[in-house]
């Protein structure tokens, strides 16, 4: 296996863990850009973000990667919409 194949394998393993474990974040995407893995997406809170980053550190240890995770808190509107 070459380096790119190893990273792809690790990325798939990370995707699997994100789907199965406590974080259960299916909205997080892990992609390859050259020889670097990119973890990006929107999570519901800081605890989930920390869990995703912990899993990424474990699975991608020794490889070049970066994250672009945003905490999104969808809330109901604070006022009624006026239609004209």
């Amino acid at each position: 296996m070459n380096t790119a194949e190893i990273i792809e394998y690790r990325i798939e393993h990370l995707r699997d863990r994100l789907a199965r474990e406590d974080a259960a974040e299916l909205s997080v995407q892990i992609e390859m850009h050259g020889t670097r893995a990119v973890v990006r997406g929107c999570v519901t809170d800081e605890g989930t973000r920390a869990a995703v980053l912990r899993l990424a550190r474990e699975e991608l240890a020794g490889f070049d990667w970066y994250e672009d995770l945003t905490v999104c808190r969808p809330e109901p509107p604070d006022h009624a919409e006026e239609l004209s």
Side-chain angles (χ1 to χ4, degrees), residues 10-84:
R10 295 271 189 94
I11 287 172
E12 284 304 316
H13 198 255
L14 175 56
R15 286 180 181 139
D16 185 53
R17 286 185 70 186
L18 286 173
R20 286 185 299 113
E21 294 191 14
D22 291 338
E25 274 302 321
L26 299 176
S27 63
V28 174
Q29 300 149 10
I30 304 100
E31 304 165 343
M32 263 215 22
H33 291 273
T35 58
R36 173 186 270 187
V38 179
V39 179
R40 68 170 46 124
C42 187
V43 295
T44 55
D45 57 44
E46 286 295 333
T48 302
R49 183 177 185 276
V52 169
L53 292 178
R54 178 184 55 79
L55 292 173
R57 278 191 298 276
E58 291 172 7
E59 292 300 327
L60 302 174
F63 294 101
D64 189 22
W65 66 280
Y66 73 93
E67 59 87 14
D68 183 17
L69 292 174
T70 305
V71 176
C72 301
R73 295 186 187 131
E75 297 176 4
D78 60 355
H79 62 280
E81 182 178 2
E82 291 185 32
L83 302 175
S84 55

Side-chain angles (χ1 to χ4, degrees), residues 1-12 32 34-35 63:
M1 264 193 195
N2 63 34
T3 303
E5 290 172 330
I6 294 170
I7 294 172
E8 297 252 354
Y9 174 80
R10 295 271 189 94
I11 287 172
E12 284 304 316
M32 263 215 22
T35 58
F63 294 101

